[in-house]
Amino acid sequence: MTGVRPVINYTYKRTRPIVQRMMQAGDIDKRHGARVRYANPVTGGPVLPTMGAWLAMLPKGFSGEPYRATDATVFVCAEGEGSTTVDGKVLEWGPQDVFVVPSWKRYSHQASKQSVLFSISDRPAQESLGIRRDVVREGKRHCVIPGPSVARPRNAGHYFSSRQMPSDSWAGRSEIENSTD
C-alpha cells in the first residue's frame, strides 16, 4: 500500500528526557537551546510531509542569539517561563502559551526559568520546494544558508539533534552577504 502513513505517537514523556540529557551534556545550540527534531521512524523524514516538529529545552538564564528563517513557526510553552523577541517586540510566555514567529522575522528566545518549547513549522514544505533559507547573524555580516535539497536519511530513528543532521546538507551552500538587515 503505497502512500499509506502509519499513525505514530510522539510522546512528550519519551522526548523530554532526551533534551534534558542533551542539555546536561552541553549540547545546547546558541539560538535554539537543546533541541531535537521529531522524525518519522519509517522514513526518517519530517513527522508530516509538509510540517516539521521540534522540542527544545532552554536552560535558566538562556539568552539566544538572533535567528531568522523563511519558515513560519508556531511555538507552545510546555514548561517554564521566558520571552521571545520578534523583530524588537517582546512576547512573554509561560506554560500552555502559544505564539507564532512569522516567516522571515528575526527572533531570539530568553528563559527566566528552565523552559521547554514545542514548535512546528512549514520547513519541510519549503525544503521540498527548494525555497527555505535561514540567516545566522555575524555582526554586520550575515550568512544566508539555503535549506538542504537532499532527502533526509531513511531509518534514522525518531529524533535528530541539530548536530546529527546530515553534514552534506550544508556543504558548499552558504553565501556571505554584506548587510545590516
Side-chain angles (χ1 to χ4, degrees), residues 8 10 32 35-39 45-56 67 69-78 97-103 107 109 116-126 132:
I8 302 168
Y10 300 95
H32 306 294
R35 184 170 83 154
V36 293
R37 178 179 69 87
Y38 287 93
V47 294
L48 297 169
T50 59
M51 302 296 286
W54 293 262
L55 192 69
Y67 179 75
T70 54
D71 51 317
T73 306
V74 177
F75 289 92
V76 179
C77 177
D97 284 342
V98 177
F99 62 97
V100 177
V101 174
S103 176
Y107 71 95
H109 299 300
V116 179
L117 296 176
F118 170 82
S119 62
I120 190 162
S121 84
D122 59 346
R123 177 183 291 198
Q126 291 190 13
R132 185 177 174 284

Side-chain angles (χ1 to χ4, degrees), residues 10-26:
Y10 300 95
T11 66
Y12 180 74
K13 184 178 179 180
R14 280 189 10 205
T15 310
R16 189 193 184 285
I18 295 169
V19 291
Q20 177 76 43
R21 285 191 304 272
M22 288 173 64
M23 195 169 79
Q24 290 169 343

Side-chain angles (χ1 to χ4, degrees), residues 26-40:
D27 188 4
I28 302 171
D29 182 88
K30 53 190 169 187
R31 292 174 268 311
H32 306 294
R35 184 170 83 154
V36 293
R37 178 179 69 87
Y38 287 93
N40 181 319

Side-chain angles (χ1 to χ4, degrees), residues 60-136:
K60 179 180 178 178
F62 181 81
S63 183
E65 290 186 4
Y67 179 75
R68 182 169 71 157
T70 54
D71 51 317
T73 306
V74 177
F75 289 92
V76 179
C77 177
E79 296 177 32
E81 291 178 358
S83 64
T84 298
T85 304
V86 181
D87 266 3
K89 186 174 190 174
V90 178
L91 307 173
E92 294 191 12
W93 42 259
Q96 300 180 12
D97 284 342
V98 177
F99 62 97
V100 177
V101 174
S103 176
W104 210 237
K105 296 292 183 183
R106 183 171 286 113
Y107 71 95
S108 61
H109 299 300
Q110 297 78 38
S112 52
K113 294 182 176 180
Q114 179 174 292
S115 302
V116 179
L117 296 176
F118 170 82
S119 62
I120 190 162
S121 84
D122 59 346
R123 177 183 291 198
Q126 291 190 13
E127 287 176 344
S128 293
L129 295 169
I131 61 173
R132 185 177 174 284
R133 303 286 184 270
D134 63 348
V135 175
V136 178

